[in-house]
Amino acid sequence: MEIKEKFNLDQVTTFRIGGPADFYCVVQTLEELKEALKFARGKDLAVFILAGGSNLLFADAGFRGMVINIAIKGIEILHDDDNRVEIRVGSGEVWDDIAALCALKELWGIENLSGIPGRSGAIPIQNVGAYGQEASRVVSSVEVLDLEELEIQIFNNDQCGFEYRQSNFNTIWKNKYAILSVTFTLARQPKPNLSYIDLSNYFAGANNPSPGLPEIRQAVIAIRSKKFPDLNEFGCAGSCFKNLILTPQNYLRLEQTLGRNFSPEIVSRLQELKLRFAEEKRIKIPAAFLVDICGLKGQSIGAARLWKNQALVIVNTGSAKARDVAGLFKLVRQEVFAKTGMRLVSEPEWVGFSEQELAKYFEIPNDKS
Ligand SMILES: Cc1cc2nc3c(=O)[nH]c(=O)nc-3n(C[C@H](O)[C@H](O)[C@H](O)COP(=O)(O)OP(=O)(O)OC[C@H]3O[C@@H](n4cnc5c(N)ncnc54)[C@H](O)[C@@H]3O)c2cc1C
């Protein structure tokens, strides 16, 4: 294991943004991870665990401390019968390789999560989800190393505290554990989930009412390729804003505000979205709808631009800095708040920013809450 100094983080993030980490290493085994943690402890360094770098915005100043890139591999079948297969996956396995493997073996449960960048160990962190499927429905347990005690623990699904784009790992346990492996339970019996309109339209168009698993995977990849930029061409970290999860009361407030500031047609579209994404006890409104109606698509600061095909995605069109992305993020949040009263929340994690910078970029004028 080689420990590098002053390692530029733009090389290991899909945004292609980020200044230097004081120290950086890639670990391929539990022993290397422990060794890296002991090195950091010896120098009293802050530690940041990195995987595929696809949900991160590193500051231009980089990270003061040690970034440990987890690349622990391994795939193991723990249980296999006519109904279900339990598979333990090393945190460093590329997630889409696992989705592809499961599609090939006709194992159901993660096909709608095809094409998501990053590694398998990050899947439980923000309870990754897409097209009606979520990690929380397939993760049966998560094996971790306590970064302080250097002891291994296993959490079952209930202990992970999964919510929309959230788990205990990115809230109360933040920076406490490194995930070593994740065990997924997948179904042998077909369980297609075509509830999302993009997917049902795709198969209605293809005149195929009951597609097989590999077809669903291909459909998801095709739909995603139209929404997200090609990462070989542009930098990005996926959606920069989370969708809104509203109480009925907050939804009503949004509807009233849109009624005051927008046309009746926009209010009807909001009402349609409310029905389309209705979930038990929560009302999910796509943040892209709010960004769209505020006329922000295509806005740019420096080389950071809102992507033409998906208003939630900020792309690095060349040499964008973190400050450009952060400035654009601020502009979008402020505009959306001014016109809709809603506070958008960042989906990628911001790392290496000072308290003052965060206060500046997350400031909303006239926010009295
Ligand atoms: C084009 C594009 C499309 C995307 N689409 C989606 C989507 O549809 N749905 C969705 O939910 N997300 C999406 N994302 C976001 C991102 O791909 C996922 O959140 C992914 O799971 C992040 O994985 P990663 O390996 O890149 O994690 P990183 O970005 O490296 O890390 C993310 C967080 O997880 C922590 N972490 C990662 N691995 C470990 C570990 N082993 N132990 C402890 N902590 C760890 C990091 O410390 C950090 O806090 C998209 C991103 C891009 C660029």
Side-chain angles (χ1 to χ4, degrees):
M1 177 187 66
E2 186 189 357
I3 296 179
K4 296 180 179 168
E5 283 186 56
K6 306 234 173 303
F7 179 88
N8 279 331
L9 294 163
D10 57 357
Q11 305 167 67
V12 286
T13 61
T14 56
F15 243 143
R16 298 188 209 152
I17 287 176
D22 293 337
F23 295 91
Y24 172 88
C25 66
V26 180
V27 297
Q28 282 167 343
T29 61
L30 173 61
E31 289 65 39
E32 285 185 352
L33 173 58
K34 285 184 178 170
E35 201 186 314
L37 290 168
K38 283 178 188 157
F39 174 89
R41 192 175 291 176
K43 290 192 173 313
D44 202 17
L45 300 172
V47 164
F48 184 80
I49 303 289
L50 172 80
S54 65
N55 209 23
L56 296 172
L57 178 63
F58 275 115
D60 296 320
F63 182 73
R64 298 291 70 78
M66 181 161 188
V67 171
I68 301 179
N69 187 333
I70 294 233
I72 300 173
K73 300 260 185 175
I75 300 173
E76 200 183 340
I77 306 283
L78 302 182
H79 178 93
D80 189 351
D81 66 26
D82 289 347
N83 294 316
R84 68 184 174 93
V85 172
E86 254 188 276
I87 172 168
R88 181 162 58 208
V89 179
S91 57
E93 292 287 347
V94 171
W95 170 249
D96 198 48
D97 290 351
I98 302 303
L101 180 73
C102 292
L104 195 70
K105 304 270 178 205
E106 301 263 339
L107 300 176
W108 293 80
I110 57 171
E111 57 284 354
N112 295 17
L113 305 180
S114 292
I116 296 180
R119 308 218 183 113
S120 303
I123 289 294
I125 302 273
Q126 73 154 2
N127 183 18
V128 157
Y131 302 103
Q133 282 184 343
E134 256 186 5
S136 61
R137 308 217 187 116
V138 285
V139 169
S140 37
S141 64
V142 180
E143 182 195 25
V144 301
L145 181 76
D146 186 316
L147 297 177
E148 201 53 45
E149 309 294 333
L150 300 189
E151 275 170 12
I152 292 179
Q153 274 177 263
I154 294 178
F155 296 114
N156 65 30
N157 181 298
D158 285 344
Q159 292 171 302
C160 293
F162 289 125
E163 298 283 349
Y164 170 72
R165 294 298 179 276
Q166 188 181 305
S167 73
N168 288 342
F169 296 107
N170 66 359
T171 52
I172 54 174
W173 295 341
K174 181 90 198 85
N175 298 331
K176 187 166 167 43
Y177 301 110
I179 293 179
L180 302 173
S181 70
V182 183
T183 299
F184 299 93
T185 300
L186 303 163
R188 280 223 176 267
Q189 304 309 320
K191 279 201 335 193
N193 179 344
L194 306 179
S195 57
Y196 261 51
I197 194 146
D198 289 347
L199 266 177
S200 52
N201 282 348
Y202 182 97
F203 287 110
N207 205 7
N208 182 359
S210 46
L213 199 159
E215 289 168 297
I216 296 177
R217 172 173 160 77
Q218 284 318 315
V220 169
I221 289 172
I223 293 166
R224 294 182 72 90
S225 71
K226 294 211 169 75
K227 284 211 167 143
F228 291 101
D230 179 352
L231 289 177
N232 293 315
E233 220 176 317
F234 297 102
C236 92
S239 299
C240 273
F241 302 94
K242 291 186 188 182
N243 290 322
L244 301 171
I245 304 294
L246 302 177
T247 59
Q249 201 185 10
N250 284 341
Y251 169 79
L252 206 61
R253 204 170 296 146
L254 172 63
E255 197 177 297
Q256 286 163 351
T257 312
L258 296 203
R260 281 196 302 278
N261 295 343
F262 294 89
S263 66
E265 193 207 340
I266 297 281
V267 177
S268 307
R269 274 174 59 200
L270 174 72
Q271 289 162 343
E272 267 170 44
L273 289 170
K274 179 191 173 199
L275 295 179
R276 193 191 301 169
F277 295 104
E279 292 186 20
E280 209 187 332
K281 291 195 214 139
R282 56 185 195 173
I283 300 167
K284 186 168 155 191
I285 299 296
F289 168 69
L290 300 187
V291 178
D292 267 342
I293 62 173
C294 292
L296 291 162
K297 226 184 219 178
Q299 280 276 356
S300 63
I301 290 187
R305 177 176 303 150
L306 284 182
W307 183 237
K308 56 184 173 12
N309 298 349
Q310 164 54 287
L312 297 186
V313 174
I314 296 179
V315 290
N316 173 2
T317 61
S319 53
K321 297 287 177 199
R323 61 176 173 274
D324 300 325
V325 171
L328 190 52
F329 172 89
K330 177 179 176 176
L331 184 147
V332 171
R333 267 188 104 227
Q334 292 194 344
E335 279 290 305
V336 168
F337 181 76
K339 292 185 178 154
T340 72
M342 291 289 127
R343 286 172 208 86
L344 295 182
V345 174
S346 177
E347 186 164 320
E349 184 181 346
W350 296 38
V351 186
F353 292 83
S354 67
E355 291 288 321
Q356 291 90 325
E357 284 173 314
L358 291 176
K360 180 174 98 181
Y361 292 124
F362 283 77
E363 181 201 0
I364 293 190
N366 303 322
D367 183 358
K368 300 204 174 54
S369 63

